[in-house]
Amino acid sequence: MDKYRIGYGTDLHRFAPYRPLYLCGCRIPCRLGGLLGHSDADAPVHAVIDALLGALCLGDIGHFFPDTDPEFENASGEMLISRTLAMPAFQGWELANLDMTILAEEPKLAPHIQAMRESLAGLLKTDVSRISIKAKTGEGLGIVGRCEAIDARVVLLLHRKEDGQN
Ligand code: MG
């Protein structure tokens, strides 16, 4: 029986004016507005969900939370992560650690890193010491650099709980 499983996920959403910006479940002020999407478009949370699903070879976020389903219109990251972790396949596993990079030209994310770590730890029901979040700009290049989108990339490790743990 496997003791460890690694997962990798990415997500990219384009900016849209007049929408609130949510990253890792945090509402973050941004002059460009928020991100476009059927849900609340929390790209880092979506990348985490893809990494969780990938670790257990379950498919991807679109399979479980299709953007054609009205139930998920404006769905929060909190709702999507809690539904993911409630799947039977995740019982018996816990997060060893998660490492994320968010690529965004704007807003500057450094002042929000700790709040995002704490928020994501809460969503994943784990300790903040297991959550790493880094932010980079696009150096003015590409869709991130032109302030057209925010791109999130995540790798995480799950390990099997000891017998008797829930
Ligand atoms: Mg997404």
Side-chain angles (χ1 to χ4, degrees):
M1 205 170 357
D2 291 335
K3 207 169 171 188
Y4 297 98
R5 301 296 295 253
I6 191 170
Y8 169 67
T10 73
D11 197 32
L12 176 79
H13 280 257
R14 69 172 64 238
F15 275 106
Y18 313 116
R19 274 181 63 99
L21 177 63
Y22 289 99
L23 299 175
C24 299
C26 295
R27 170 85 170 85
I28 294 180
C30 179
R31 72 176 182 93
L32 300 171
L35 297 174
L36 189 64
H38 180 64
S39 66
D40 72 359
D42 190 328
V45 163
H46 298 177
V48 169
I49 291 171
D50 257 3
L52 288 166
L53 295 170
L56 298 187
C57 299
L58 295 174
D60 64 31
I61 187 171
H63 175 73
F64 293 97
F65 309 111
D67 62 8
T68 50
D69 188 335
E71 184 184 0
F72 304 119
E73 188 171 355
N74 294 316
S76 68
E78 180 176 13
M79 185 257 230
L80 298 179
I81 282 195
S82 67
R83 288 235 192 156
T84 302
L85 294 177
M87 293 176 192
F90 286 100
Q91 310 318 306
W93 292 94
E94 66 183 352
L95 183 72
N97 73 305
L98 177 155
D99 188 19
M100 170 188 291
T101 301
I102 303 174
L103 298 158
E105 202 74 10
E106 289 194 38
K108 294 301 173 208
L109 294 176
H112 306 289
I113 293 285
Q114 186 60 20
M116 291 193 291
R117 289 179 68 211
E118 289 171 7
S119 172
L120 196 53
L123 298 182
L124 291 165
K125 300 182 174 25
T126 191
D127 191 83
V128 70
S129 65
R130 297 178 186 272
I131 305 292
S132 159
I133 299 177
K134 309 181 299 293
K136 298 177 84 73
T137 71
E139 295 281 335
L141 299 170
I143 52 176
V144 168
R146 291 192 298 268
C147 297
E148 293 173 5
I150 289 180
D151 186 357
R153 301 170 188 189
V154 173
V155 62
L156 57 78
L157 188 70
L158 301 180
H159 69 83
R160 200 178 285 280
K161 290 177 185 172
E162 303 293 328
D163 284 347
Q165 277 185 274
N166 282 318

